[in-house]
Amino acid sequence: MIIAVIGNSSCTPEEAKLAETVGELLARRGATIICGGLGGVMEAVCRGAKSEGGLTVGILPGQDSSMANPWVDIPVVTGIGEARNVAVVKSAQAVIAIGGSYGTLSEIAYALKSRIPIIGLNTWSLSRSGRQDNSIIRVQSAVEAVDKAISLAKRRKNHEIASLRSQ
Amino acid sequence: MIIAVIGNSSCTPEEAKLAETVGELLARRGATIICGGLGGVMEAVCRGAKSEGGLTVGILPGQDSSMANPWVDIPVVTGIGEARNVAVVKSAQAVIAIGGSYGTLSEIAYALKSRIPIIGLNTWSLSRSGRQDNSIIRVQSAVEAVDKAISLAKRRKNHEIASLRSQ
Amino acid sequence: MIIAVIGNSSCTPEEAKLAETVGELLARRGATIICGGLGGVMEAVCRGAKSEGGLTVGILPGQDSSMANPWVDIPVVTGIGEARNVAVVKSAQAVIAIGGSYGTLSEIAYALKSRIPIIGLNTWSLSRSGRQDNSIIRVQSAVEAVDKAISLAKRRKNHEIASLRSQ
Amino acid sequence: MIIAVIGNSSCTPEEAKLAETVGELLARRGATIICGGLGGVMEAVCRGAKSEGGLTVGILPGQDSSMANPWVDIPVVTGIGEARNVAVVKSAQAVIAIGGSYGTLSEIAYALKSRIPIIGLNTWSLSRSGRQDNSIIRVQSAVEAVDKAISLAKRRKNHEIASLRSQ
């Protein structure tokens, strides 16, 4: 199971703590973590995952792996800049957003577009024409985020297998 | 001057009318239109622009130009799917969003990230941690959208020239 | 009709002269030129096209249009680096390669993969398992390159229209 | 250490055997395998690696992981089509090409452009202006390919660390 964790490359200490705990919990549950591979939330989630022996994948925007944080096991060097945000979310069965700025917002948009479940911890709220969009599943703690992400990812995985079988 | 117009590939008749008028007005003001090249808002804005002799560029997601709407003069076939949304906004000096779903939201996010002025007509509202994000410049009519877009695009163009000169 | 012209961003005076003539001839025949938008062969072909009132599109690898050569009418800012090479060739009905290094080689490969006709002026030769690959159509002059490109692009365009009609 | 193995999605039984052996040998040497994630050579190298307990990453062109071969541990879903070829080679410290058609040729071109060592087993030969380009390191066996790839990847990794330290 692959879970994406998204958030800003510069973040508050509270967001970093949250991300680190999310990383620890995901690793304990056996999930592979995918992220944008840089600092801030991305670094914290990788550090947390590695402290529990997890596997971490960083989808990097640049031309080489020099910007990868030290807890990325597999740096994927895309060379496609911000367009790599698509790959971060599409590679996951569920996405957890922690805080985040406009880069994270583009990833949330891509996840919603691809109907990949997205769980939000203190992140963007969306509305259109005065109506709230409640597609982001809001949670209040790292434990809740990981529980939701894993149960939705499992459901998605089973759904995928079912649709492959019926082809 | 290049102005991006973004919006959904399926849209309401009101949105189509609005997009068509935006296209007409932009063309009359001498702006080149760039968009995602498909149907809905993208088609309407191209049709409007062509009715006034404008030039239209469609940044297509697919592998060939067969999905381009008939009013695209220059179909750019990217082959990179939704990741082409980055190119739509980065190629413009200002962006006008009309309505729009999650694809449009990703383009809004990329515009904000790249500090390209974005004008919104009945499109997404954003807030984070309970605080409204007012970076999208909200307008109520096609005329207002085009006026804003052109004046902001000019300012941006001048700023770019100034920073090139000072290098 | 859109013709791509590909080649290195630093080139010999002979290659620049050749590219400029190709640009002039394509513009006189009414073709829109698409290229990578930078210097060398790309700049020379755009300069030639503009001297005859042609239209030029530059598919740029970087994050803004500051690297575009001054003869690019429509700078498309992709932000995806070398991956933009796919878009340069896929947007054209035929491709002319002039000299070129490894970037040009990747574009030749993409053109061959997408079955877009490619005409070569003093460019790469390919062989595999000791057998020559003759898919690149070799010519000796700018006139010959443009003649071949335009006649093959027309055939391709007609073919596309035919396959759209039969759907 | 990450080694990319590139080749066609449909291949001869000889190429598949070669790729499988390359996968086995790389896994025994502790290298992570990265590839395009599809069939043919990509499938064979992953199968070989998994038979020796290796780790495999597939950089997929499509919109979901359904096209990944069954021996891919980490399917990276890019959604960017052929443009994902850049990411396959840029993520590796060395590249092994086995046979291959035009897609593989584009990857060879990107590797040469990025100065990533590339080892060739019965793959493309290149020449320009009548002069042979000997940048592809030619070998005759799977053992030789893996030896070369690993020793060049180590040298590259050390070089990268040295240049990071000197910054």
Side-chain angles (χ1 to χ4, degrees):
Chain A
M1 187 188 309
I2 301 182
I3 308 289
V5 180
I6 61 176
N8 214 347
S9 59
S10 65
C11 69
T12 64
E14 290 74 30
E15 286 170 337
K17 186 75 208 67
L18 209 49
E20 192 164 357
T21 309
V22 164
E24 288 166 15
L25 295 171
L26 284 171
R28 270 187 232 157
R29 303 282 291 268
T32 295
I33 279 93
I34 202 161
C35 70
L38 305 179
V41 161
M42 301 171 255
E43 181 164 354
V45 73
C46 289
R47 192 173 51 232
K50 291 314 294 174
S51 76
E52 295 288 328
L55 182 67
T56 60
V57 181
I59 309 291
L60 295 160
Q63 300 299 319
D64 57 50
S65 63
S66 61
M67 299 293 286
N69 73 63
W71 290 274
V72 168
D73 291 317
I74 301 175
V76 174
V77 179
T78 67
I80 61 169
E82 304 289 328
R84 71 83 152 82
N85 294 1
V86 185
V88 173
V89 296
K90 275 187 184 287
S91 300
Q93 280 97 44
V95 178
I96 298 173
I98 300 172
S101 186
Y102 297 129
T104 305
L105 179 60
S106 74
E107 292 170 317
I108 290 172
Y110 280 130
L112 293 172
K113 170 111 188 171
S114 303
R115 295 170 184 276
I116 296 168
I118 171 140
I119 293 101
L121 273 162
N122 196 26
T123 190
W124 291 97
S125 292
L126 311 171
S127 63
R128 201 172 25 162
S129 316
R131 221 175 302 163
Q132 189 74 18
D133 179 313
N134 293 313
S135 310
I136 302 173
I137 299 155
R138 296 190 175 276
V139 294
Q140 304 302 329
S141 71
V143 174
E144 218 187 327
V146 169
D147 278 350
K148 263 286 172 214
I150 285 183
S151 81
L152 289 166
K154 271 185 190 156
R155 205 184 299 172
R156 190 173 158 83
K157 231 183 154 119
N158 291 339
H159 174 74
E160 275 171 11
I161 291 163
S163 56
L164 280 171
R165 276 195 187 136
S166 70
Q167 275 173 9
Chain B
M1 189 187 309
I2 302 181
I3 308 289
V5 181
I6 62 176
N8 214 347
S9 59
S10 65
C11 67
T12 64
E14 290 74 30
E15 286 171 336
K17 186 75 208 68
L18 207 51
E20 193 164 356
T21 308
V22 164
E24 288 167 15
L25 294 171
L26 284 172
R28 269 186 232 157
R29 303 282 291 269
T32 295
I33 280 92
I34 203 160
C35 71
L38 304 178
V41 161
M42 301 171 254
E43 181 163 355
V45 74
C46 290
R47 191 172 54 233
K50 292 314 295 174
S51 76
E52 295 288 328
L55 182 66
T56 60
V57 181
I59 309 291
L60 296 160
Q63 300 300 319
D64 58 49
S65 63
S66 62
M67 299 294 286
N69 74 61
W71 289 274
V72 168
D73 291 317
I74 302 175
V76 174
V77 179
T78 67
I80 60 168
E82 303 289 328
R84 71 82 152 83
N85 294 1
V86 186
V88 172
V89 298
K90 275 188 184 285
S91 300
Q93 280 97 44
V95 179
I96 298 173
I98 300 173
S101 186
Y102 297 128
T104 304
L105 179 60
S106 74
E107 292 170 318
I108 290 172
Y110 280 131
L112 293 173
K113 169 111 189 171
S114 303
R115 296 171 182 273
I116 297 168
I118 172 140
I119 293 101
L121 273 162
N122 196 27
T123 190
W124 291 97
S125 293
L126 311 170
S127 62
R128 202 172 22 161
S129 317
R131 221 175 301 163
Q132 189 74 19
D133 179 313
N134 293 313
S135 309
I136 302 173
I137 299 155
R138 295 187 176 279
V139 295
Q140 303 302 329
S141 71
V143 174
E144 217 186 327
V146 169
D147 278 350
K148 263 286 172 212
I150 286 184
S151 80
L152 289 167
K154 272 185 189 155
R155 205 182 300 173
R156 191 172 157 84
K157 234 187 150 116
N158 292 339
H159 173 74
E160 276 172 11
I161 292 164
S163 56
L164 279 172
R165 276 194 189 137
S166 69
Q167 274 173 6
Chain C
M1 188 187 311
I2 302 182
I3 308 289
V5 181
I6 62 176
N8 214 349
S9 58
S10 65
C11 68
T12 65
E14 290 74 29
E15 286 170 336
K17 185 77 208 68
L18 207 51
E20 193 165 355
T21 308
V22 164
E24 288 167 15
L25 294 171
L26 283 171
R28 270 186 231 157
R29 303 283 290 269
T32 295
I33 279 93
I34 202 161
C35 70
L38 305 178
V41 161
M42 299 172 254
E43 181 163 355
V45 74
C46 289
R47 192 173 52 230
K50 291 315 295 175
S51 75
E52 296 288 328
L55 182 66
T56 60
V57 181
I59 309 291
L60 295 160
Q63 300 300 319
D64 58 49
S65 63
S66 61
M67 299 294 286
N69 74 62
W71 289 274
V72 168
D73 292 317
I74 302 175
V76 174
V77 179
T78 67
I80 61 168
E82 304 288 328
R84 71 82 152 83
N85 294 1
V86 185
V88 173
V89 298
K90 275 187 183 286
S91 301
Q93 281 96 45
V95 179
I96 299 173
I98 300 173
S101 186
Y102 297 129
T104 305
L105 179 60
S106 75
E107 291 170 318
I108 290 173
Y110 280 131
L112 294 172
K113 170 110 189 171
S114 302
R115 296 171 182 276
I116 297 168
I118 172 140
I119 293 101
L121 273 162
N122 195 27
T123 191
W124 290 97
S125 292
L126 311 170
S127 63
R128 202 171 24 162
S129 316
R131 221 175 302 163
Q132 189 73 20
D133 179 313
N134 293 313
S135 309
I136 302 172
I137 299 154
R138 295 187 176 279
V139 295
Q140 303 302 328
S141 71
V143 174
E144 217 186 328
V146 169
D147 278 350
K148 264 286 172 213
I150 285 183
S151 80
L152 289 167
K154 271 185 189 155
R155 206 183 298 174
R156 189 171 159 84
K157 232 183 152 120
N158 291 339
H159 174 74
E160 276 172 9
I161 292 163
S163 56
L164 280 171
R165 276 194 188 137
S166 68
Q167 276 172 7
Chain D
M1 189 188 309
I2 301 181
I3 307 289
V5 180
I6 61 176
N8 214 348
S9 59
S10 65
C11 69
T12 64
E14 289 75 28
E15 286 170 336
K17 187 76 208 69
L18 207 50
E20 194 165 355
T21 309
V22 164
E24 288 166 15
L25 294 171
L26 284 171
R28 270 186 231 156
R29 303 280 291 267
T32 295
I33 279 94
I34 202 160
C35 70
L38 305 178
V41 160
M42 300 171 255
E43 182 164 353
V45 73
C46 289
R47 193 173 51 232
K50 292 315 294 174
S51 76
E52 295 288 328
L55 182 66
T56 60
V57 181
I59 309 291
L60 295 160
Q63 300 301 318
D64 58 49
S65 64
S66 61
M67 299 293 287
N69 74 61
W71 290 273
V72 168
D73 292 316
I74 302 175
V76 175
V77 179
T78 67
I80 61 169
E82 304 289 328
R84 70 81 153 83
N85 294 0
V86 185
V88 173
V89 297
K90 274 187 185 287
S91 301
Q93 281 97 45
V95 179
I96 298 173
I98 300 173
S101 188
Y102 297 129
T104 305
L105 179 59
S106 74
E107 291 171 317
I108 290 172
Y110 280 130
L112 293 172
K113 169 110 188 171
S114 303
R115 296 170 182 275
I116 296 167
I118 172 140
I119 293 102
L121 272 162
N122 196 27
T123 190
W124 292 97
S125 293
L126 311 171
S127 62
R128 201 171 26 161
S129 318
R131 221 174 303 164
Q132 190 73 18
D133 179 312
N134 293 314
S135 310
I136 302 172
I137 299 155
R138 296 189 175 279
V139 294
Q140 304 302 329
S141 71
V143 174
E144 217 186 329
V146 169
D147 278 349
K148 264 284 171 215
I150 285 184
S151 80
L152 289 166
K154 272 186 190 155
R155 205 183 299 173
R156 189 172 160 83
K157 232 184 153 117
N158 291 339
H159 173 74
E160 275 172 11
I161 292 164
S163 56
L164 279 172
R165 277 195 188 136
S166 70
Q167 274 173 10

